[in-house]
C-alpha cells in the first residue's frame, strides 16, 4: 500500500465548474499537507500549505484536511482553462522532513 | 519570493557519459536541498537529501555512487549522474529549504530534463 493515494484522472470539467481533488494517506504521523500544481515539463508550484487539520482558503482555492479520516481535499471554484495542469498532493512529518507526493491528478478545464 | 533555479533546463547526452545538474537558491540560503526524479506521468520520487557541508542522505534503492551529490555552499547543490544510461532519462527536480525558515515549505526548481541516448 502506498503511503499517499491519489486518483490519477484524467479529470475534465467545463469552465466555471467547481473542481474537487482529493488524496488519502496511511501514515498518521503526517502533519504538514500541501497541494502543488505542475504544468507540463515544469517544476511543481506550491498552491496550498496546511498544518494539521482544518480548512484554508486562498482566492479560488480551498484546502481541507481531515486527519481523523486521513483524507485531504483541494477545491477550485470558478475553474479556468489556465487551471488545466497536474495537481499533486503532498505531505510530510515535519517542516524539514522529506515530502511524500501523491501520483498527481491531471485536470483539464474545457472552455 | 524564494526562487530556485536549475541548470541546464534540458540536456541530451550519450550513454556512458556523466552529466552535472546545478540547483541554486537565488535569494536565500539553504542548508538543506532535496533531489527528486520524476518519470513521465508519474509522481516525484525523492532521491536524496543534501545538507550543506555534509554527505547526502540517499533514499533506499538510489545508488550513491551513480548519483553524486555535492552541497558545497548555502546556495548551490549539484547532482552528477555518472555513466548515464538510457534508463536514467528522466526529469530531475531539486528543492530548497530556506535557512532562515521564513516558511516551513520547500521551494522547487523548474526541473532538468535528461535524455540519455
Amino acid at each position: 500500500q502506498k503511503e499517499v493515494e491519489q486518483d490519477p484522472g484524467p479529470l475534465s470539467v467545463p469552465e466555471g465548474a467547481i473542481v474537487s481533488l482529493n488524496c488519502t494517506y496511511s501514515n498518521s504521523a503526517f502533519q504538514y499537507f500541501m497541494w502543488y500544481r505542475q504544468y507540463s515539463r515544469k517544476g511543481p508550484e506550491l498552491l496550498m500549505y496546511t498544518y494539521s487539520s482544518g480548512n484554508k482558503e486562498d482566492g479560488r482555492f480551498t484546502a481541507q484536511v481531515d486527519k481523523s479520516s486521513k483524507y485531504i481535499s483541494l477545491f477550485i471554484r470558478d475553474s479556468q482553462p489556465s487551471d488545466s495542469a497536474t495537481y499533486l498532493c503532498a505531505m510530510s512529518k515535519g517542516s524539514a522532513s522529506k515530502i511524500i507526493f501523491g501520483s498527481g491528478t491531471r485536470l483539464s478545464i474545457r472552455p | 519570493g524564494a526562487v530556485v533555479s536549475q541548470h541546464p533546463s534540458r540536456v541530451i547526452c550519450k550513454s556512458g557519459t556523466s552529466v552535472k545538474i546545478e540547483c541554486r537558491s537565488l535569494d536565500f540560503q539553504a542548508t538543506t536541498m532535496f533531489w527528486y526524479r520524476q518519470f513521465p506521468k508519474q509522481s516525484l520520487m525523492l532521491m536524496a537529501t543534501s545538507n550543506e557541508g555534509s554527505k547526502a542522505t540517499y533514499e533506499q534503492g538510489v545508488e550513491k555512487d551513480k548519483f553524486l551529490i555535492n552541497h558545497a555552499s548555502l546556495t548551490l547543490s549539484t547532482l552528477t549522474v555518472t555513466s548515464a544510461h538510457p534508463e536514467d532519462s528522466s526529469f530531475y527536480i531539486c528543492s530548497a529549504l530556506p535557512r532562515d525558515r521564513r516558511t516551513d515549505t520547500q521551494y522547487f526548481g523548474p526541473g532538468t530534463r535528461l535524455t540519455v541516448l
Side-chain angles (χ1 to χ4, degrees):
Chain A
Q1 182 188 10
K2 291 182 181 179
E3 282 192 283
V4 180
E5 297 278 359
Q6 183 175 10
D7 187 337
L11 178 63
S12 179
V13 301
E15 183 176 357
I18 296 175
V19 176
S20 173
L21 304 168
N22 52 72
C23 290
T24 58
Y25 63 95
S26 58
N27 193 334
S28 58
F30 288 136
Q31 297 285 343
Y32 294 83
F33 304 90
M34 290 77 73
W35 285 95
Y36 289 86
R37 178 173 62 195
Q38 187 177 25
Y39 293 110
S40 181
R41 299 176 182 268
K42 300 290 185 182
E45 170 194 2
L46 180 66
L47 282 178
M48 300 291 283
Y49 175 81
T50 309
Y51 171 70
S52 195
S53 284
N55 294 357
K56 187 172 184 178
E57 186 174 325
D58 184 1
R60 297 185 294 113
F61 299 90
T62 300
Q64 290 185 351
V65 174
D66 182 348
K67 291 189 69 179
S68 63
S69 301
K70 297 189 179 67
Y71 187 89
I72 70 171
S73 301
L74 177 71
F75 298 96
I76 307 174
R77 292 185 300 280
D78 187 25
S79 56
Q80 305 294 312
S82 59
D83 295 328
S84 298
T86 295
Y87 289 79
L88 299 147
C89 65
M91 45 202 79
S92 66
K93 298 176 185 178
S95 59
S97 302
K98 66 179 183 180
I99 295 176
I100 307 299
F101 284 87
S103 56
T105 299
R106 284 183 292 136
L107 173 66
S108 175
I109 308 298
R110 307 188 301 270
Chain B
V3 179
V4 176
S5 70
Q6 282 185 241
H7 177 79
S9 59
R10 175 178 293 186
V11 57
I12 300 172
C13 69
K14 293 181 179 180
S15 184
T17 60
S18 294
V19 175
K20 179 184 284 189
I21 302 170
E22 293 185 349
C23 176
R24 292 182 185 273
S25 55
L26 297 184
D27 54 355
F28 65 97
Q29 293 181 330
T31 49
T32 303
M33 290 184 172
F34 301 86
W35 286 96
Y36 296 82
R37 180 168 51 185
Q38 186 177 33
F39 291 107
K41 298 186 179 181
Q42 294 187 27
S43 191
L44 283 76
M45 298 299 294
L46 180 67
M47 298 175 66
T49 301
S50 167
N51 291 296
E52 187 266 338
S54 63
K55 292 183 178 180
T57 303
Y58 291 81
E59 294 299 301
Q60 190 174 10
V62 178
E63 299 176 58
K64 63 179 181 180
D65 294 330
K66 181 170 183 61
F67 299 98
L68 301 178
I69 293 173
N70 185 299
H71 192 159
S73 78
L74 289 172
T75 60
L76 173 65
S77 177
T78 61
L79 168 68
T80 301
V81 183
T82 63
S83 187
H85 288 93
E87 58 265 31
D88 298 323
S89 298
S90 188
F91 194 49
Y92 292 87
I93 305 172
C94 71
S95 70
L97 188 65
R99 180 188 189 190
D100 60 10
R101 304 302 292 276
R102 64 188 70 175
T103 69
D104 287 329
T105 59
Q106 300 172 23
Y107 294 92
F108 283 83
T112 296
R113 184 161 301 280
L114 171 63
T115 302
V116 184
L117 302 177

